[in-house]
Amino acid sequence: DAGVTQSPTHLIKTRGQHVTLRCSPISGHKSVSWYQQVLGQGPQFIFQYYEKEERGRGNFPDRFSARQFPNYSSELNVNALLLGDSALYLCASSLVAAAFEQYFGPGTRLTVT
Amino acid sequence: DQQVKQNSPSLSVQEGRISILNCDYTNSMFDYFLWYKKYPAEGPTFLISISSIKDKNEDGRFTVFLNKSAKHLSLHIVPSQPGDSAVYFCAASDAGNNRKLIWGLGTSLAVNP
């Protein structure tokens, strides 16, 4: 079975641009969470979606948005990119919103110049 | 305010010996704890978890111990193997936050042949 997949794997953008990151969860998993990992730190929670509804939001500005599609895949959008948005963006899937374990994809490495 | 703390940024052990990775937490609402392993350029891989109603959970070479009164948990790897060399993250969750994961900063483990 395929694990969590994310695309693209790497991305370079300039300040002010916007970016869309994509995630496909494990088959049968209905919840997707997004995390940002800056170098040298642990991942920070951005969003959780379950059955296409937002179930949680971390302490990130409104420039960050996300959505979940009927097939449970998800997109993370970031507008007006800042240098500080450079990070590894991780997608995690779980069976339900409050599942104990989450399974992570390989991440998308975003570099903002 | 770091709710999950991994105070040792790095650890080096000899192959075949025991590796002990430590984690402390401050939020008494946390009731589920997880360890993830991360290689460079990959997403975190779930290793082992423990509920707050237990004090020990074992899976092969990996054992997690939880001391609730001290708000401390540890991951033991016995025997350590060179392939265990990676960054290990401790994460915690509580039911009140839809189980969003709160992460430590990670400990980089090097197992020397």
Side-chain angles (χ1 to χ4, degrees):
Chain A
D1 281 343
V4 179
T5 59
Q6 291 185 246
S7 62
T9 53
H10 295 86
L11 203 51
I12 300 175
K13 291 285 190 177
T14 56
R15 280 175 294 178
Q17 287 187 315
H18 72 272
V19 67
T20 298
L21 310 180
R22 295 178 175 84
C23 171
S24 291
I26 293 170
S27 177
H29 285 196
K30 298 182 178 180
S31 181
V32 169
S33 298
W34 288 94
Y35 292 81
Q36 179 197 65
Q37 186 180 18
V38 173
L39 197 63
Q41 297 188 16
Q44 297 291 315
F45 172 77
I46 311 175
F47 286 111
Q48 183 188 69
Y49 276 78
Y50 176 64
E51 292 283 12
K52 295 167 288 179
E53 290 187 2
E54 182 183 301
R55 289 300 188 94
R57 173 186 283 257
N59 188 23
F60 280 80
D62 292 342
R63 298 184 296 108
F64 288 76
S65 64
R67 55 180 176 167
Q68 187 177 33
F69 299 99
N71 67 354
Y72 304 111
S73 67
S74 177
E75 284 183 354
L76 174 70
N77 295 284
V78 187
N79 293 324
L81 285 166
L82 303 174
L83 294 179
D85 295 330
S86 296
L88 180 67
Y89 288 85
L90 295 163
C91 172
S93 86
S94 56
L95 279 168
V96 293
F100 286 108
E101 280 114 26
Q102 298 179 25
Y103 298 89
F104 285 80
T108 293
R109 171 70 62 188
L110 172 64
T111 302
V112 182
T113 62
Chain B
D1 178 30
Q2 198 76 19
Q3 296 184 66
V4 177
K5 301 177 185 179
Q6 294 177 256
N7 292 320
S8 299
S10 62
L11 176 68
S12 181
V13 299
Q14 286 299 120
E15 181 178 4
R17 305 294 288 269
I18 184 171
S19 295
I20 300 176
L21 296 97
N22 294 304
C23 178
D24 297 292
Y25 62 97
T26 58
N27 188 343
S28 57
M29 296 301 294
F30 290 146
D31 63 357
Y32 201 77
F33 305 88
L34 308 91
W35 285 94
Y36 283 85
K37 172 181 178 181
K38 188 177 184 303
Y39 294 115
E42 293 185 13
T45 301
F46 171 74
L47 260 182
I48 192 169
S49 60
I50 189 166
S51 164
S52 60
I53 62 174
K54 295 186 175 181
D55 55 18
K56 177 182 174 181
N57 188 28
E58 189 172 355
D59 183 3
R61 296 186 298 115
F62 302 92
T63 303
V64 56
F65 295 92
L66 174 63
N67 182 334
K68 279 183 63 179
S69 60
K71 292 192 175 69
H72 176 84
L73 60 154
S74 61
L75 173 68
H76 293 211
I77 306 173
V78 184
S80 301
Q81 300 173 354
D84 295 330
S85 298
V87 177
Y88 288 77
F89 288 95
C90 172
S93 72
D94 73 83
N97 262 320
N98 259 342
R99 301 240 163 252
K100 74 173 185 182
L101 295 175
I102 308 299
W103 299 72
L105 296 182
T107 296
S108 179
L109 172 66
V111 180
N112 306 307

